[in-house]
Amino acid sequence: MTTLAHADPKAAKSLRRRSWLRRLRGADTGRPIWRQPVTVVALSILAAWLLIALAAPLIAPYDPIAQSIDTYQPPTGAHWFGTDSLGRDVFSRVVHGARLSIPLALAIVALALLLGGLLGLVAGYVGRLLDEAVMRLTDLVFAFPQIILAMAVTAAFGPSTGNAILALVIVSWPVYARVIRSAVLTIRGEDYLNASRLLGVGPIRTLRRDVLPNSVGPAIVLATLELGNAVLLLAALSFLGLGPRPPAAEWGSMVALGAQDLSMWWVSVFPGLAILTVVLAFNVLGDALRDRLDPRYMNGR
Amino acid sequence: MTTVTQGTPGAAVTAAPGPRPRRRRPVLAYVAKRLVITIGLLLGVTVLTFGLVQVVPGDPVTANLSDQALNDPAAVAAFQAKWGLDQPVYVQYLHYLGNLLHGDLGTSQQTGRAVAEDLLQYVPATMELAIPTMLLALLLGTGIGMLAAVRNGRLTDQLIRVGALLGLSTPPFWLSLVVLYLFFYRFGLAPSGGRLSPGFTPPDTVTGMYTVDAMLAGQWELAWDAAQHLLLPILVLTCLTVAILVRFVRSSMLEVLGQDYIKAAYAKGLPTGLVLRRHLLRAGLVPVITVSGLAFASLLSGTVLVENIFGWPGLGQYAYRSASALDLPAILGASLFVALVYTLVNLTVDLLYGLIDPRIRIS
């Protein structure tokens, strides 16, 4: 590989990029990651939730925000998951909740990956003062437990869906910045980067064409791991009344509704199970990915 | 995601050869460096909380003055002068910082009291949950994590891994409700929430932790009642914290198990128990120190949600109430306090780690 890198930067790059893909495909363990039983289960659960989110209006028997006089009905044939304090059908609300939690979690992780990735990429490549500034900024965010800082930010800007996303992006970008930065640092002195610089390629083009493809892999795996965390944090924020405004069918706020009357267990048990299955599936998937790749590759060091 | 300081493995080897004139200096230099970094970090934290106050939509003048006073330019100017709002932002920040150094975190709009005073009342309640949880979680987390590592790949390991993943994936607020439903509503084994049953009056404040204070006063019945109220919140918090620790301990122990000296110890014919205690536990526990900071953070986050369900008047509930009432001085004071505690915990962890593992402090 070293000889190849000297002779042909492109070949070295493709080798490098293929190495982590090859591990996922199971070159060393014999079974591709998507054929592993646990991964299959996790992927099926996620696929099911995705389908539910897409087809929510078709699946839900009732309007998720329509109130009725049938308050606190236990689970029956008419209301599979019962009804809540306002007579709304819990099943319909859980089904519609998937349309909020899953896309919002994806948005949070994508935005955090974008912001953190960009900062980490530039910090790692440029180095010096900029690197120092970005790293101290990550330290600053790490000085707070995530939910506390997110609460403070949403309280400051006012509770809404947009501000909840903003708050969660603010508390979650530093991980990606660190991972990408350390990946960039490991390849900074590589011959193919020097080669492209000698050829007169500008820094932005170098970053985009050579640095990014070779450093983004671990961050994407990390993003998968963080998806479950994003679902949990979002649910926690809206449980605290700092997420999407009522009457939005958000799982966290639905669990909060069930806390009003403990004996009506169905009001909070079903949305909670929804959160649990989605988060568990994301975590299993992330774990499987991490198992395949070197674990030390994944920590933002 | 942790702020673990990691040394380059080769650093110890590349140290200059020959006798070193002053042997104790590296440790001191390391401690000093960490202290400076921590102070800088805390300053950054105050800039952040101050900045959040600045960006808040809504003007303190309109929020605090009546319509009549607002129409009077002299009243507005007097108000601005009194609170320093007519000063440039950096002067306001210095004022803010000066107040913080005097322990003045502002006044809560909700309770009408000084935030610092509020915190003094709420923090001990949280400590009463956090201290036993942390001890229990470290004990259980180490034991279970080690068991999983030793049984690597077998059924026990698989079950532990699934259990830990479940613990990580369960929303804490939901778990609290489920536990409350089962143990209070269904089986009547535990009280529903709060710190004491109706009819009991809190013991004289020494530590602020009711169980401890009651025992100090010799009120055993009161102590027993307070302890029962601790049961469920600690159960939930321990589940969450153990889940994090188990995963970390397991991977740390697995790494040690793969080392040659473990194989050598077995090859020498040492009994398994001895190898595990003397070799595995000692080496495998060092990195666990670092993750306890992370576990502590998740514990603090957990208390926000758990205290809310159990009606536990602690720091978490204070932060939650302030946040939902948009009581900014209170929420910022509380988060500043939490950041301070968390940063100091991390500093302690880093220092401990540096003292135990010399490779760390040299890098």
Side-chain angles (χ1 to χ4, degrees):
Chain A
M1 182 158 163
T2 24
T3 44
L4 256 177
H6 283 294
D8 181 1
K10 271 214 173 119
K13 191 171 72 181
S14 67
L15 258 183
R16 189 173 270 283
R17 222 185 303 179
R18 231 183 284 149
S19 75
W20 63 275
L21 266 177
R22 258 185 42 210
R23 268 190 243 167
L24 292 186
R25 237 190 279 137
D28 39 0
T29 43
R31 191 154 35 168
I33 188 164
W34 47 87
R35 292 258 175 83
Q36 253 177 297
V38 273
T39 337
V40 170
V41 173
L43 281 173
S44 320
I45 292 175
L46 288 175
W49 272 117
L50 217 57
L51 265 180
I52 291 173
L54 285 173
L58 301 175
I59 298 170
Y62 299 90
D63 183 342
I65 56 172
Q67 305 181 6
S68 77
I69 48 165
D70 296 329
T71 60
Y72 284 141
Q73 297 287 307
T76 56
H79 296 285
W80 292 354
F81 291 176
T83 62
D84 65 10
S85 57
L86 297 171
R88 295 174 297 196
D89 183 52
V90 175
F91 178 71
S92 305
R93 286 176 69 72
V94 168
V95 164
H96 274 272
R99 303 194 116 183
L100 268 180
S101 293
I102 296 173
L104 288 187
L106 287 172
I108 291 162
V109 170
L111 288 173
L113 180 63
L114 195 70
L115 177 67
L118 220 61
L119 284 172
L121 194 66
V122 176
Y125 189 69
V126 177
R128 292 181 202 175
L129 207 63
L130 190 69
D131 185 29
E132 192 65 20
V134 171
M135 285 305 106
R136 293 295 79 80
L137 214 55
T138 63
D139 282 344
L140 194 56
V141 177
F142 281 135
F144 295 87
Q146 282 186 314
I147 189 86
I148 307 255
L149 184 58
M151 268 168 68
V153 171
T154 10
F157 289 99
S160 71
T161 311
N163 287 345
I165 294 179
L166 175 75
L168 293 179
V169 170
I170 289 179
V171 302
S172 48
W173 68 269
V175 221
Y176 306 105
R178 289 204 178 181
V179 166
I180 296 239
R181 170 185 174 266
S182 61
V184 171
L185 286 185
T186 58
I187 60 168
R188 203 159 67 156
E190 295 280 333
D191 289 333
Y192 61 88
L193 287 187
N194 293 334
S196 75
R197 205 173 303 144
L198 284 175
L199 286 170
V201 179
I204 294 186
R205 196 180 148 96
T206 310
L207 275 177
R208 193 165 49 86
R209 292 289 300 276
D210 294 319
V211 181
L212 185 65
N214 287 308
S215 56
V216 81
I220 286 175
V221 178
L222 186 70
T224 320
L225 271 166
E226 286 287 304
L227 272 170
N229 195 25
V231 174
L232 265 187
L233 279 173
L234 181 71
L237 269 190
S238 57
F239 171 81
L240 294 171
L242 297 169
R245 303 278 73 208
E250 209 287 333
W251 292 336
S253 57
M254 291 164 71
V255 175
L257 215 55
Q260 289 172 359
D261 191 335
L262 216 52
S263 58
M264 314 297 173
W265 54 269
W266 56 87
V267 179
S268 51
V269 162
F270 293 113
L273 283 176
I275 303 173
L276 178 59
T277 48
V278 171
V279 176
L280 189 63
F282 276 136
N283 281 347
V284 167
L285 201 62
D287 245 28
L289 279 177
R290 196 172 47 174
D291 274 355
R292 285 299 171 102
L293 305 162
D294 185 355
R296 265 160 304 182
Y297 201 33
M298 301 303 312
N299 290 334
R301 287 170 188 164
Chain B
M1 86 173 282
T2 74
T3 47
V4 172
T5 331
Q6 183 76 9
T8 28
V13 188
T14 53
R20 280 203 221 142
R22 285 179 229 161
R23 277 182 53 224
R24 301 196 60 181
R25 256 184 78 198
V27 178
L28 281 181
Y30 173 73
V31 171
K33 194 176 136 201
R34 295 296 316 164
L35 276 177
V36 169
I37 290 176
T38 304
I39 290 170
L41 188 59
L42 286 175
L43 270 177
V45 167
T46 62
V47 173
L48 188 68
T49 49
F50 179 76
L52 274 178
V53 184
Q54 298 300 311
V55 298
V56 174
D59 181 12
V61 179
T62 44
N64 285 287
L65 290 184
S66 68
D67 285 343
Q68 204 187 346
L70 275 177
N71 286 327
D72 180 1
V76 172
F79 180 84
Q80 286 180 329
K82 185 182 175 203
W83 297 103
L85 296 173
D86 51 350
Q87 307 280 333
V89 174
Y90 72 91
V91 176
Q92 289 189 41
Y93 170 71
L94 289 179
H95 267 290
Y96 173 77
L97 201 60
N99 287 341
L100 288 183
L101 287 177
H102 290 103
D104 181 1
L105 296 170
T107 308
S108 161
Q109 294 156 1
Q110 240 196 327
T111 62
R113 298 194 308 172
V115 174
E117 210 178 303
D118 279 345
L119 287 180
L120 265 180
Q121 186 196 325
Y122 285 95
V123 167
T126 297
M127 293 325 282
E128 199 175 8
L129 294 181
I131 294 171
T133 301
M134 204 64 208
L135 293 177
L136 208 61
L138 279 174
L139 210 67
L140 285 174
T142 313
I144 299 174
M146 208 168 142
L147 181 67
V150 172
R151 304 257 161 208
N152 184 22
R154 282 188 256 174
L155 186 66
T156 326
D157 179 39
Q158 307 277 14
L159 287 178
I160 291 173
R161 291 186 76 183
V162 170
L165 260 183
L166 265 176
L168 275 186
S169 310
T170 310
F173 49 92
W174 181 74
L175 186 62
S176 306
L177 277 177
V178 170
V179 161
L180 203 53
Y181 175 78
L182 290 177
F183 291 93
F184 164 69
Y185 184 77
R186 265 289 136 108
F187 306 129
L189 289 174
S192 68
R195 298 181 72 182
L196 291 173
S197 303
F200 283 100
T201 43
D204 295 334
T205 306
V206 183
T207 60
M209 295 184 253
Y210 284 179
T211 329
V212 179
D213 287 354
M215 283 199 280
L216 286 177
Q219 297 166 291
W220 301 109
E221 211 181 323
L222 184 65
W224 175 236
D225 186 69
Q228 281 179 310
H229 282 80
L230 285 172
L231 205 67
L232 292 187
I234 288 186
L235 175 72
V236 173
L237 289 172
T238 306
C239 281
L240 302 169
T241 318
V242 165
I244 293 180
L245 285 174
V246 161
R247 286 158 58 89
F248 194 86
V249 171
R250 178 180 173 275
S251 58
S252 161
M253 296 283 176
L254 275 180
E255 211 163 294
V256 177
L257 277 173
Q259 302 284 327
D260 286 340
Y261 61 82
I262 297 280
K263 288 175 198 151
Y266 275 121
K268 274 196 299 192
L270 290 182
T272 312
L274 199 66
V275 176
L276 294 187
R277 266 200 321 277
R278 285 271 173 81
H279 298 271
L280 177 60
L281 191 61
R282 279 197 189 169
L285 271 189
V286 175
V288 174
I289 296 172
T290 59
V291 88
S292 49
L294 179 68
F296 183 73
S298 98
L299 178 59
L300 281 181
S301 309
T303 57
V304 176
L305 305 160
V306 172
E307 284 178 1
N308 184 38
I309 303 258
F310 288 101
W312 193 266
L315 186 61
Q317 204 178 30
Y318 183 69
Y320 160 65
R321 279 211 204 127
S322 322
S324 55
L326 307 186
D327 181 352
L328 211 60
I331 178 74
L332 291 180
S335 28
L336 192 65
F337 178 80
V338 170
L340 175 75
V341 172
Y342 183 39
T343 307
L344 291 182
V345 165
N346 273 335
L347 174 71
T348 318
V349 161
D350 275 358
L351 290 181
L352 263 179
Y353 199 36
L355 291 179
I356 293 172
D357 190 341
R359 282 175 304 182
I360 303 305
R361 59 174 183 259
I362 287 170
S363 71

